Amino acid sequence: MKFTLSWLREHLDTTADAAAIVEALTDLGLEVEEVDDPAARLGAFRIARVIEAVQHPDADRLRVCRVETWPDGPDGPSQTVQVVCGAPNARTGMRGVFAPVGTHIPGTGVDLKPGVIRGQASNGMMCSERELELSEDHDGIIELPSGEVGDRFVDWLAENDPAKVDPVIEIAITPNRPDALGVRGIARDLAARGLGTLKPRETV
């Protein structure tokens, strides 16, 4: 049985996060087989702004970008880094998603290292949706219509596109627990354990 946290909250009035719900399910004897929490793998990515994007002197399809980022958030110091980017939509002034050196890129499985591409230093990367496992879109880097430079991208998603960071919980169902084959039954169990309040069932 798979369900999302938002689906569960349609039946259960709770402020508990995915970790607390998983712990409660285990205590209730409902074996949690897998938790897919996109937010857990996106915490290092920050909103950044391309200050300047110019043609790479030795590669027609590459641009050398100066990127403004705030590695410690908007309250910390700003930083400008050089990134070599092959995305066709990389341009001066755009707002996108930056991965600093050392970040694990979930869509490629690579830990980002500083590099030199055709003689130009590249320290970090501007990311596409596929590289962040948000979709199969790899035609260009993510372009954001809003958001403050330095804010965590995962927080922007939670506010503007919450479905993309909605945790999915999968539990194993034993033959004696047919009530747990529906999200309503799971919500009832969690409410009985004190993890929230079961919402009234809507009737037509």
Side-chain angles (χ1 to χ4, degrees), residues 1 3 18-36 168-173:
M1 168 66 184
F3 59 93
I21 288 168
V22 166
E23 182 180 353
L25 289 170
T26 301
D27 286 348
L28 288 166
L30 294 171
E31 180 187 353
V32 177
E33 294 191 318
E34 185 179 6
V35 180
D36 180 19
V168 178
I169 301 170
E170 181 176 4
I171 60 174
I173 305 297

Side-chain angles (χ1 to χ4, degrees), residues 5-133:
L5 184 57
S6 62
W7 187 17
L8 177 67
R9 285 178 173 160
E10 291 178 11
H11 298 270
L12 183 70
D13 187 2
T14 182
T15 58
D17 61 11
I21 288 168
V22 166
E23 182 180 353
L25 289 170
T26 301
D27 286 348
L28 288 166
L30 294 171
E31 180 187 353
V32 177
E33 294 191 318
E34 185 179 6
V35 180
D36 180 19
D37 186 0
R41 59 179 178 263
L42 296 177
F45 299 87
R46 298 258 179 194
I47 297 176
R49 183 170 64 92
V50 178
I51 300 172
E52 181 184 50
V54 298
Q55 183 66 48
H56 191 296
D58 297 314
D60 291 342
R61 296 187 179 182
L62 298 178
R63 290 177 176 83
V64 180
C65 303
R66 286 196 303 120
V67 177
E68 177 193 16
T69 182
W70 298 67
D72 299 318
D75 296 330
S78 66
Q79 184 182 64
T80 300
V81 298
Q82 180 169 291
V83 175
V84 177
C85 183
N89 63 329
R91 67 184 187 280
T92 300
M94 75 172 293
R95 196 178 307 257
V97 180
F98 176 72
V101 169
T103 303
H104 180 78
I105 309 300
T108 63
V110 171
D111 293 330
L112 204 57
K113 297 179 180 179
V116 177
I117 302 174
R118 296 286 188 91
Q120 296 291 323
S122 187
N123 295 291
M125 71 181 293
M126 300 296 287
C127 303
S128 70
E129 288 208 353
R130 190 170 75 182
E131 286 160 343
L132 301 187
E133 295 187 332

Side-chain angles (χ1 to χ4, degrees), residues 45-48 69-70 73-75 96 144 147-156 159:
F45 299 87
R46 298 258 179 194
I47 297 176
T69 182
W70 298 67
D75 296 330
L144 299 177
E148 293 297 322
V149 173
D151 282 353
R152 296 197 316 157
F153 176 53
V154 69
D155 296 333
W156 186 92
E159 182 177 348

